[in-house]
């Protein structure tokens, strides 16, 4: 078990995809522990399901939802777009930023996917 983490937990939350702890659920999860997995893309769904299955978890529910947010600076927009596979230059993204950005930044809506599972 990694330094700093001791014991087994009744609630585990994995966000942003298949994190390494999902590969070690039986180590971290107490019997009948609840597991919530919140992940960023449909592509990650199969990986998360496989990891839950490998751990013997029972999937109790699955949801998709949208969340609103703002990217505060143009640089945040560039990094966000890079993360999502967009290869446009910062100058090209400036053209995207200028007409839509407000005092809060650039508005975004992201889809999130969620599983609720229970360990055996």
């Amino acid at each position: 078990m990694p330094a700093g983490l001791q014991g087994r937990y009744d609630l585990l939350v994995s966000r942003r995809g298949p994190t390494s702890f999902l590969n070690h659920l039986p180590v971290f999860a107490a019997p009948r522990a609840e597991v919530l997995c919140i992940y960023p893309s449909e592509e990650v769904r199969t990986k998360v399901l496989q990891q839950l299955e490998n751990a013997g978890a029972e999937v109790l529910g699955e949801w998709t939802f949208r969340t609103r947010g703002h990217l505060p600076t143009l640089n945040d927009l560039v990094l966000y777009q890079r993360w999502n596979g967009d290869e446009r230059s910062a100058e090209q993204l400036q053209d995207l930023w200028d007409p839509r950005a407000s005092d809060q930044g650039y508005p975004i809506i992201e889809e999130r996917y969620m599983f609720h599972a229970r360990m055996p």
Side-chain angles (χ1 to χ4, degrees), residues 40-81:
S41 67
E42 180 64 32
E43 295 82 42
V44 178
R45 180 181 183 275
T46 302
K47 293 176 186 177
V48 171
L49 273 175
Q50 184 64 50
Q51 289 170 310
L52 291 170
E53 182 181 311
N54 290 346
E58 173 189 5
V59 174
L60 302 174
E62 179 180 7
W63 301 269
T64 302
F65 61 95
R66 291 185 175 171
T67 182
R68 293 178 191 227
H70 287 87
L71 301 168
T73 69
L74 175 60
N75 188 54
D76 293 315
L77 174 62
V78 171
L79 293 172
Y80 177 81
Q81 293 300 101

Side-chain angles (χ1 to χ4, degrees), residues 8-9 12-14 20-30 33-37 48 51-57 117 119:
R8 295 176 75 183
Y9 301 92
L12 296 125
V13 178
S14 171
S20 62
F21 100 81
L22 283 179
N23 293 325
H24 307 283
L25 274 176
V27 173
F28 294 114
E34 303 286 324
V35 181
L36 298 176
C37 300
V48 171
Q51 289 170 310
L52 291 170
E53 182 181 311
N54 290 346
M119 294 299 290

